[in-house]
Amino acid sequence: MPKALVGEIKRRSIADAVSVESSTVLAKMRSPDRHLADDSEKSVRTQFSIIVPVFNEALLIRPFLLHLRERAPEAEIVVADGGSSDGTVNLATGLCDRLVRSEPNRAIQMNTGARAARGEILWFVHVDVELPLGCLDEIRRIMDEPNVVGGYFRIRLPEGLVYRLTDSFAHYAGVLLRMRCGDHGIFCRRTVFLDIGGFPKVPLMEDVEFFRQLHRRGRVTYSDKRILVSPRRYEAIGHMRLTLAYGFIAMLYIFGVPTSILASIYKRMCCDA
């Protein structure tokens, strides 16, 4: 074989080797970019994180999570279990994005769920509610205002005069007194949640305490879309009895009665029936 040809083959082999090595190095350099792109896409998909605190909700958890996935398909769903013993955890597995466990205290459960969540907007939802259509679009519309730190939905109980009076009175009294409970589906920015320090570890009214702290951080607004709330507590305890208990406890709370005493009163009025 002519020396010139042998030299040309060697030069091409070296050039090809250099090209392959350069391509390998470039691929290694680009791989973080691909991961960054994947993380960016994941961030968009998990802009909303829905935290669902549960405790022994075997009857409701599967239908609720299916309903939640239908109404909020783009959200990350985090189930925060408080030590259920009825199979709730097994039933929730596969129907949520994350499942975390803590001791049975709703404030601790929601805080644990929020720490595990990845979304920029945290939405705290109870398992015994029905969410309105377009709920995420509604939250997005509200949170597009830069001075808004959080919000909530109005609630609706089933048909009946007592229920109409209850949800109407609760709404306007709540606006006046800046009090909202967890049934309203409170949502907020993650940064504000962290600034507040999450829900306080108290035996009762943790959602009201958090809501009032939220008001101190900026504007809080609400949607006229309704969350349909299950009447199961009213049916178990009694319509008038529970309504009066809620009103009495709210009044005592306004006058500064400690939450430990309020929890004891609630237990005597509603749990020892």
Side-chain angles (χ1 to χ4, degrees):
M1 182 179 295
K3 291 183 179 180
L5 181 56
V6 172
E8 180 64 23
I9 291 173
K10 287 182 177 180
R11 283 194 298 272
R12 289 187 179 181
S13 298
I14 293 171
D16 290 343
V18 171
S19 177
V20 170
E21 184 177 356
S22 299
S23 298
T24 304
V25 172
L26 184 59
K28 289 180 179 178
M29 292 175 65
R30 284 178 177 170
S31 60
D33 293 335
R34 287 201 301 272
H35 290 311
L36 287 174
D38 291 343
D39 289 343
S40 178
E41 290 173 5
K42 185 178 291 186
S43 176
V44 172
R45 289 197 301 271
T46 59
Q47 179 184 4
F48 297 95
S49 289
I50 303 174
I51 293 90
V52 185
V54 295
F55 179 73
N56 287 341
E57 295 288 3
L59 293 177
L60 294 179
I61 188 65
R62 285 186 67 85
F64 175 73
L65 290 178
L66 291 170
H67 164 70
L68 188 55
R69 186 64 75 188
E70 177 189 2
R71 293 293 165 94
E74 64 198 82
E76 176 189 50
I77 299 175
V78 181
V79 173
D81 183 71
S84 296
S85 58
D86 65 346
T88 295
V89 169
N90 291 334
L91 291 168
T93 302
L95 294 179
C96 60
D97 298 295
R98 294 174 181 273
L99 197 151
V100 298
R101 305 184 191 190
S102 72
E103 61 183 275
N105 175 285
R106 182 164 282 176
I108 294 175
Q109 289 171 236
M110 291 188 290
N111 290 341
T112 302
R115 285 196 297 270
R118 297 178 176 176
E120 298 171 6
I121 305 298
L122 305 178
W123 186 18
F124 301 90
V125 178
H126 289 179
V127 74
D128 59 347
V129 302
E130 180 180 325
L131 303 177
L133 290 168
C135 51
L136 290 188
D137 289 337
E138 186 71 355
I139 295 176
R140 185 180 289 109
R141 178 189 66 80
I142 290 172
M143 300 306 291
D144 275 346
E145 294 290 333
N147 64 328
V148 172
V149 296
Y152 59 95
F153 288 81
R154 290 198 62 177
I155 64 171
R156 180 170 294 282
L157 289 158
E159 295 301 322
L161 179 60
V162 173
Y163 291 144
R164 292 288 73 75
L165 292 173
T166 298
D167 61 27
S168 296
F169 174 77
H171 173 68
Y172 293 108
V175 170
L176 179 64
L177 301 174
R178 292 187 172 180
M179 295 176 63
R180 284 294 166 218
C181 63
D183 287 337
H184 288 266
I186 298 170
F187 52 87
C188 67
R189 302 187 193 278
R190 168 190 285 279
T191 52
V192 177
F193 179 88
L194 295 174
D195 180 50
I196 292 173
F199 290 87
K201 186 181 176 182
V202 292
L204 195 69
M205 310 292 276
E206 75 286 334
D207 39 16
V208 175
E209 294 262 300
F210 176 79
F211 185 78
R212 294 191 132 196
Q213 286 291 327
L214 197 60
H215 260 288
R216 296 187 180 101
R217 297 315 194 275
R219 185 179 166 210
V220 179
T221 188
Y222 66 88
S223 169
D224 280 323
K225 286 182 177 289
R226 301 294 186 104
I227 287 180
L228 182 63
V229 177
S230 168
R232 62 177 178 166
R233 280 173 291 180
Y234 289 88
E235 293 172 353
I237 297 169
H239 299 177
M240 291 304 300
R241 182 172 184 170
L242 187 59
T243 299
L244 291 173
Y246 281 164
F248 182 57
I249 289 170
M251 181 184 68
L252 295 179
Y253 174 81
I254 291 298
F255 284 103
V257 175
T259 55
S260 57
I261 295 177
L262 298 181
S264 177
I265 293 172
Y266 178 81
K267 184 177 181 180
R268 287 200 301 271
M269 292 185 71
C270 301
C271 301
D272 292 339

